[in-house]
Amino acid sequence: SYELTQPPSVSVSPGQTARITCSGDALPKKYAYWYQQKSGQAPVLVIYEDSKRPSGIPERFSGSSSGTMATLTISGAQVEDEADYYCYSTDSSGGVFGGGTKLTVL
Amino acid sequence: QVQLVESGGGVVQPGRSLRLSCAASGFTFSSYGMHWVRQAPGKGLEWVAVIWYDGSNKYYADSVKGRFTISRDNSKNTLYLQMNSLRAEDTAVYYCARDRPWCSGGSCYPGAFDIWGQGTMVTVSS
């Protein structure tokens, strides 16, 4: 399997745009998925297939992927968006998560 | 409503076995692939295993291959994870998750985890 690399932390002020990156050699050929996990809770899918947003996820969440890097963008981040974010992608026999990024909004 | 409820976690000694269950409701369980994902205390998420909707294919992370077995009973809407030869490093919260496949050229493959359970804690300690 391969690795996905995320920055350990990102910090923004409320209303600013937060960008969380995920790099991996297989991303040009594989979809990226993004999960939000708030403290003590199960993860929630926020972006699938690079850029699609599940129903119920606010429009401020968006995703993109180019080459070996996928990006989760939170436009106008809010205090309630403070959480750990994980990227995920599949390989030939399963899947791999990135190490996670702690987003601080204050 | 769509729901996944895990059970079977607990404290177990190294080398022993444990079976986790995941009861599904609110959707047609037999139409979906299912995954197990775990999270060690204070650590990130780790994909563990996937099983196709009909049980025809199963894949495992290298860290559990040969020790863990994923299975399902579609008549009971239940997913299982049989964990043998447990090690201290298997200590984690174990989540079951529903698969949202991606499809291309008439074939579909495992994709996103669109529904998650609340998790069950497994502690391996003497």
Side-chain angles (χ1 to χ4, degrees):
Chain A
S1 62
Y2 63 99
E3 292 186 354
L4 295 175
T5 302
Q6 298 180 236
S9 63
V10 169
S11 183
V12 298
S13 299
Q16 289 188 327
T17 295
R19 293 182 178 85
I20 300 172
T21 59
C22 173
S23 63
D25 289 342
L27 290 180
K29 303 181 294 293
K30 298 291 186 179
Y31 286 125
Y33 303 85
W34 290 94
Y35 298 89
Q36 176 195 67
Q37 186 179 35
K38 295 183 178 180
S39 181
Q41 298 183 18
V44 172
L45 177 69
V46 294
I47 294 290
Y48 67 101
E49 295 175 16
D50 291 343
S51 59
K52 299 177 181 177
R53 193 173 54 249
S55 61
I57 301 301
E59 291 185 6
R60 64 180 180 272
F61 288 87
S62 64
S64 63
S65 187
S66 178
T68 60
M69 184 167 290
T71 302
L72 173 69
T73 300
I74 307 172
S75 303
Q78 301 185 8
V79 173
E80 59 261 36
D81 299 331
E82 188 162 289
D84 294 325
Y85 290 84
Y86 295 90
C87 63
Y88 172 86
S89 190
T90 57
D91 62 15
S92 59
S93 58
V96 62
F97 283 96
T101 298
K102 181 174 182 59
L103 174 66
T104 301
V105 183
L106 54 74
Chain B
Q1 72 280 23
V2 176
Q3 194 173 12
L4 297 171
V5 178
E6 302 93 337
S7 60
V11 180
V12 61
Q13 293 179 329
R16 303 297 290 264
S17 299
L18 202 62
R19 188 177 83 157
L20 305 182
S21 299
C22 169
S25 59
F27 65 98
T28 304
F29 179 70
S30 59
S31 296
Y32 288 87
M34 296 294 296
H35 299 260
W36 287 99
V37 176
R38 69 184 181 182
Q39 186 170 36
K43 303 296 185 182
L45 300 171
E46 180 186 14
W47 174 82
V48 173
V50 61
I51 185 169
W52 258 233
Y53 69 98
D54 57 358
S56 59
N57 285 295
K58 305 172 186 180
Y59 295 101
Y60 301 90
D62 289 344
S63 58
V64 307
K65 201 172 297 182
R67 300 186 300 123
F68 289 13
T69 301
I70 189 171
S71 63
R72 63 191 299 157
D73 185 336
N74 285 345
S75 69
K76 296 182 178 180
N77 292 339
T78 303
L79 173 73
Y80 302 101
L81 185 67
Q82 177 67 44
M83 304 185 294
N84 298 332
S85 302
L86 282 161
R87 306 167 180 167
E89 54 264 37
D90 296 318
T91 294
V93 174
Y94 285 75
Y95 297 99
C96 62
R98 190 179 77 171
D99 181 68
R100 179 178 186 144
W102 64 276
C103 301
S104 176
S107 297
C108 294
Y109 308 91
F113 314 129
D114 65 347
I115 303 295
W116 296 67
Q118 85 290 348
T120 187
M121 182 70 202
V122 173
T123 302
V124 183
S125 173
S126 54

